[in-house]
Amino acid sequence: MTEAVVLSACRTAIGTARRGSLREVSAFDLATVVVREAVQRSGLPLELIDDVILGESLAGGGDIARYAALEAGLSHVPGLAQNRHCASGLASVATAAAGIRAGMDRVVVAGGTQSTSTAPVSRWRVPGTDDWLEPWNSPSHVSTPQAPHNDMSILVGWNTARLAGVERQEMDAWALRSHERALRAIDAGWFADETVPVKVTDRGGAVSAFEVDEHPRRSTSMEKLAALKVLHPEIEGFSITAGNSSGANDGSAALVVADAAIAADHGVTPLATIHSWASVGVDPARTGLAPIAAIRKALDRAGIDVGDVHLFEINEAFASVAVAATRELGLDPQRVNPFGSGCSLGHPIAATGARMVTTLAHALRRRGGGTAVAAMCAGGGMGSALVLTA
């Protein structure tokens, strides 16, 4: 069985939705930017590319990957849009690796794209009536008071904190550290190699290049986080705030995943090898705990002990998720989210998984090798993890 290696990996800087730098840029244009750049960075001829697979969420249900392929000059390449909610980008990278390891494909562009700012609003007619629900999002499970499908602060954030015994102060402290680490990475230039500028035209016609993550806050402090109101004051003990939650964001990421022999034939040194991956399902009320099982399953498939992993990113959909997983798995907090995550960098839903793999692949190159794990929960009681080695 051939190895699936990452030849290139890039992402846009992450924008704050609806009021940030990418608010006028569609998910389609964001996808095109990173697909084109990832292919160029790979150094491979265009004709070698077999497919483009992109995670998408809230973009209307079309095949956004085919759109990006055409715009990037890959008219001979089909496209596959995948939706595993928050884990869509991660699923796309895993799907690409699976096709390569099976010998069905040799080079695939994989990633995800998200424009929360420009996402279309859906409406749905309630069966048996003439009533319409608007706005409407497709549910992944039957909604219950304990697990509402349309309120992640309860479904993921609060349920995880309650089930894992995570206190408000722990979540706030984790969120603060996330901002500090993201800003340290930005200031040190650690994201420079992975970030591709996006040309942005505002409504007044002014053109600029957006290339630095804008969501991390330099002014954040424990005092400011502690002063924030909880999102559901009517629920006794509720501890989830905007400060210990991920942001609403825009961004995209793409990687070129290839047969190791292709890399050797063309003299390309891979960034990393995709060693294993896994996805799991849990009761929807336990969505935020799903990364724990996914990490264990992915590491078991790789034959790697949790203590041998040098870098983790466990997406901070809510700080409670990362705190719970770190505690349950006995991880060294210094190895978890060393460059920030959802609470600071933000969470452009369908792009986040691919962004995490991109960041970790570049980090492994900087440190001269090692093992990294990207993991996250996904709405409806899902969790995914992927293991990289270099």
Side-chain angles (χ1 to χ4, degrees):
M1 182 171 60
T2 187
E3 288 187 329
V5 297
V6 177
L7 299 190
S8 66
C10 64
R11 67 176 180 92
T12 67
I14 299 171
T16 300
R18 303 183 186 92
R19 54 189 175 84
S21 299
L22 296 177
R23 65 187 179 277
E24 304 295 344
V25 185
S26 73
F28 301 89
D29 290 338
L30 289 171
T32 300
V33 167
V34 292
V35 168
R36 182 183 289 127
E37 181 71 14
V39 171
Q40 181 176 339
R41 291 186 182 194
S42 76
L44 297 181
L46 299 186
E47 59 267 22
L48 291 181
I49 297 171
D50 294 306
D51 209 348
V52 175
I53 305 173
L54 294 180
E56 71 91 13
S57 176
L58 309 179
D63 192 344
I64 203 165
R66 173 59 176 167
Y67 181 101
L70 287 169
E71 290 301 295
L74 302 170
S75 59
H76 68 287
V77 175
L80 172 65
Q82 286 201 324
N83 191 339
R84 187 171 269 158
H85 295 322
C86 297
S88 297
L90 200 60
S92 296
V93 176
T95 299
I100 288 162
R101 288 176 63 167
M104 296 295 100
D105 293 314
R106 299 200 72 189
V107 184
V108 178
V109 182
T113 184
Q114 181 77 33
S115 175
T116 303
S117 295
T118 68
V121 175
S122 298
R123 62 196 299 256
W124 180 68
R125 185 180 62 79
V126 180
T129 76
D130 291 324
D131 298 330
W132 290 83
L133 291 178
E134 183 179 340
W136 174 81
N137 290 321
S138 179
S140 295
H141 66 279
V142 175
S143 194
T144 66
Q146 295 75 30
H149 78 263
N150 60 351
D151 191 332
M152 296 299 108
S153 71
I154 297 175
L155 177 71
V156 180
W158 172 234
N159 280 349
T160 304
R162 183 173 51 81
L163 291 168
V166 181
E167 300 294 333
R168 161 85 181 262
Q169 186 174 13
E170 292 179 274
M171 291 185 281
D172 287 351
W174 188 283
L176 175 61
R177 185 170 59 186
S178 181
H179 282 275
E180 292 171 344
R181 289 178 169 184
L183 291 166
R184 180 182 65 183
I186 291 169
D187 293 345
W190 292 342
F191 295 145
D193 288 344
E194 68 191 61
T195 306
V196 54
V198 179
K199 184 183 292 186
V200 176
T201 304
D202 67 21
R203 293 183 181 184
V207 179
S208 61
F210 176 61
E211 53 190 335
V212 178
D213 300 303
E214 66 185 3
H215 202 71
R217 297 189 178 187
R218 295 185 183 275
S219 60
T220 299
S221 67
M222 280 298 288
E223 292 74 21
K224 290 182 177 179
L225 289 168
L228 293 173
K229 295 180 180 179
V230 300
L231 299 179
H232 284 284
E234 76 281 4
I235 298 177
E236 184 178 357
F238 202 82
S239 54
I240 307 303
T241 71
N244 55 42
S245 308
S246 61
N249 301 94
D250 306 321
S252 62
L255 305 86
V256 172
V257 184
D259 180 331
I262 286 279
D265 290 346
H266 288 80
V268 181
T269 301
L271 283 170
T273 297
I274 299 174
H275 206 60
S276 67
W277 58 90
S279 291
V280 301
V282 299
D283 185 285
R286 301 178 66 85
T287 295
L289 298 174
I292 298 169
I295 290 171
R296 286 175 171 154
K297 190 172 184 179
L299 287 174
D300 181 66
R301 288 176 171 178
I304 295 173
D305 186 78
V306 69
D308 295 327
V309 179
H310 301 92
L311 300 171
F312 286 88
E313 185 170 347
I314 302 171
N315 183 42
E316 297 159 356
F318 296 86
S320 58
V321 175
V323 173
T326 299
R327 179 187 297 168
E328 177 66 22
L329 294 168
L331 307 182
D332 178 356
Q334 295 303 314
R335 297 187 179 192
V336 182
N337 300 356
F339 316 110
S341 188
C343 287
S344 54
L345 290 173
H347 180 19
I349 300 170
T352 294
R355 195 281 303 161
M356 293 163 65
V357 178
T358 294
T359 296
L360 290 172
H362 283 276
L364 288 177
R365 169 166 283 189
R366 284 197 307 273
R367 74 184 308 276
T371 300
V373 172
M376 60 206 314
C377 63
M382 297 184 287
S384 295
L386 183 143
V387 181
L388 288 173
T389 57

